[in-house]
Amino acid sequence: MDVIVLDRLAYTLNAPQVLQALHVREGSSREAEVLRLIAEAEAVAAPKAVYRMIFVQERGADYVVADGHRLTSRILRVNLDGLHRAFAFVCTAGQELEDWARGQGDVLARFYAEAINEAVLHAATMTLFRHLSETYGLGQTAVMNPGSLADWPISQQRPLFDLLGDVESAIGVRLTPSMLMVPTKSVSGILFPTQEDFASCQLCPREACPNRRMPYEPELFERKYKVESQKSKVQS
């Protein structure tokens, strides 16, 4: 399947949620500042996404090969068991919004602007996921992101980006030598249909994570993802 580019993704910022996340009270002078910045951001933002349906060609103990590119992760391999297709994607709030946020002269305004930028990215990403689910009839889905777990390190950004071709030309997102994305308010990953709830948070013991979506399940890796040969060694 060809790479699909979604230019200027629709999104909606929930101002009360942004204010709550920033611990800004309604009716305060800071509320007016945040609302002013939200209006500025909405005038500037042009979030974008690129995605491609990928097909699993080969499976190993800790990897899958999709369209000729090897993605190395035991957890990803198990999550894709029984599936022949998934979706590689990159979504970004855009360079326009990053330049706007960094251009704020005041330290507090810059802090607020970065949080608004993050909220735009989240809203745009949810639009992308809805588009994929509705367009391809996926039903319940889950996502894995390179770098979110030690099992799928950030170095795996490279084969993911390779699956999507020239991402920088398509939506303006590039990888640094350390595999970080620029603009920084960007997200990449593999989205796949699933009949079970899954989030990388379930396998991550880090407690003080502001983006945690599900509680840590310390027994989950042993129960579902541990390689069978390793299980046998433990039991013998």
Side-chain angles (χ1 to χ4, degrees):
M1 177 180 174
D2 293 337
V3 171
I4 305 297
V5 177
L6 301 177
D7 198 13
R8 289 190 172 273
L9 280 169
Y11 70 95
T12 301
L13 279 185
N14 186 316
Q17 285 184 357
V18 174
L19 290 166
Q20 184 178 20
L22 291 170
H23 305 290
V24 173
R25 295 194 309 274
E26 291 186 18
S28 67
S29 59
R30 290 185 177 179
E31 179 193 28
E33 173 71 357
V34 173
L35 293 178
R36 178 186 68 80
L37 289 168
I38 287 175
E40 285 188 10
E42 290 179 328
V44 170
K48 308 168 183 67
V50 60
Y51 73 86
R52 178 186 175 195
M53 186 191 298
I54 59 173
F55 296 92
V56 178
Q57 301 165 314
E58 181 185 338
R59 306 170 197 267
D62 64 350
Y63 71 89
V64 296
V65 175
D67 294 340
H69 297 276
R70 178 169 171 148
L71 303 170
T72 303
S73 164
R74 170 68 181 175
I75 295 169
L76 179 65
R77 204 282 288 165
V78 173
N79 283 340
L80 296 183
D81 273 356
L83 299 176
H84 297 290
R85 67 172 184 171
F87 295 83
F89 70 88
V90 175
C91 184
T92 181
Q95 190 62 51
E96 302 89 347
L97 203 56
E98 183 143 307
D99 292 342
W100 166 80
R102 290 182 175 177
Q104 300 299 318
D106 179 78
V107 173
L108 185 58
R110 213 159 37 241
F111 172 76
Y112 289 158
E114 289 292 341
I116 293 167
N117 196 350
E118 186 73 38
V120 169
L121 173 61
H122 176 75
T125 303
M126 292 303 102
T127 297
L128 169 63
F129 292 169
R130 285 193 298 273
H131 166 81
L132 291 171
S133 291
E134 293 168 4
T135 302
Y136 300 97
L138 302 180
Q140 183 175 340
T141 60
V143 172
M144 283 188 64
N145 313 100
S148 60
L149 294 169
D151 175 75
W152 202 27
I154 199 168
S155 59
Q156 287 287 292
Q157 290 273 50
R158 175 47 59 201
L160 177 59
F161 267 61
D162 288 345
L163 279 165
L164 293 166
D166 190 348
V167 177
E168 185 171 8
S169 293
I171 60 170
V173 179
R174 63 179 175 85
L175 290 176
T176 69
S178 57
M179 297 295 119
L180 298 176
M181 287 179 285
V182 177
T184 57
K185 296 301 186 287
S186 302
V187 62
S188 64
I190 300 290
L191 178 140
F192 53 93
T194 179
Q195 295 182 347
E196 300 180 11
D197 289 336
F198 173 81
S200 295
C201 306
Q202 295 170 278
L203 296 161
C204 177
R206 186 175 148 212
E207 294 181 5
C209 177
N211 297 317
R212 179 170 288 282
R213 293 171 44 223
M214 297 179 72
Y216 173 48
E217 297 183 30
E219 79 292 345
L220 180 60
F221 184 85
E222 183 75 27
R223 171 167 51 84
K224 183 175 181 180
Y225 297 106
K226 198 171 182 67
V227 180
E228 289 300 325
S229 61
Q230 291 178 333
K231 287 181 181 178
S232 300
K233 289 179 183 178
V234 172
Q235 294 168 355
S236 60

